[in-house]
Amino acid sequence: MSYTFNAEIRTEVGKGSSRRLRRAGKLPAVVYGKGKEPMSIVLNHKDIINIQLNDDFYTTDLTVVVDGKEVKVRAQAMQRHAFKPMVEHIDFVYA
């Protein structure tokens, strides 16, 4: 199964801006990999929350559409809230 998400480039980084994004229903994430520039992005939390429950989310290549370009990535790490059903941050690697 393939998953496709729309994302935006994140210009503000840091704890305060990440908290503002989470309050607005967004999810901060980063895409990195060997030989390529790291890219900070913002996803919609509602797009990720149900899909990340599937096992193949972590093992298949995902497609992130950033500014009209498709980028193939894999989920590397995910930080979840301690007791709420909420994802706080995702690390992706280039596939």
Side-chain angles (χ1 to χ4, degrees):
M1 186 170 198
S2 64
Y3 300 105
T4 303
F5 308 109
N6 291 321
E8 301 171 4
I9 296 289
R10 184 170 54 146
T11 55
E12 295 181 7
V13 293
K15 188 190 308 185
S17 65
S18 294
R19 286 180 177 173
R20 284 189 293 275
L21 288 171
R22 288 187 198 106
R23 269 187 250 127
K26 304 288 185 179
L27 176 65
V30 65
V31 181
Y32 56 88
K34 188 174 180 177
K36 295 186 180 181
E37 281 293 314
M39 179 173 42
S40 296
I41 59 174
V42 179
L43 303 165
N44 284 323
H45 189 267
K46 65 180 182 179
D47 293 343
I48 299 292
I49 191 66
N50 291 328
I51 295 173
Q52 59 92 24
L53 297 174
N54 299 332
D55 292 335
D56 57 345
F57 177 82
Y58 303 98
T59 58
T60 60
D61 290 347
L62 312 170
T63 304
V64 178
V65 179
V66 182
D67 295 334
K69 295 188 311 183
E70 291 187 354
V71 180
K72 292 286 188 182
V73 297
R74 282 192 167 220
Q76 179 72 22
M78 184 179 300
Q79 290 79 39
R80 293 181 172 91
H81 193 274
F83 57 88
K84 294 180 184 176
M86 191 171 137
V87 178
E88 293 193 334
H89 189 272
I90 299 179
D91 290 353
F92 294 109
V93 292
Y94 291 104

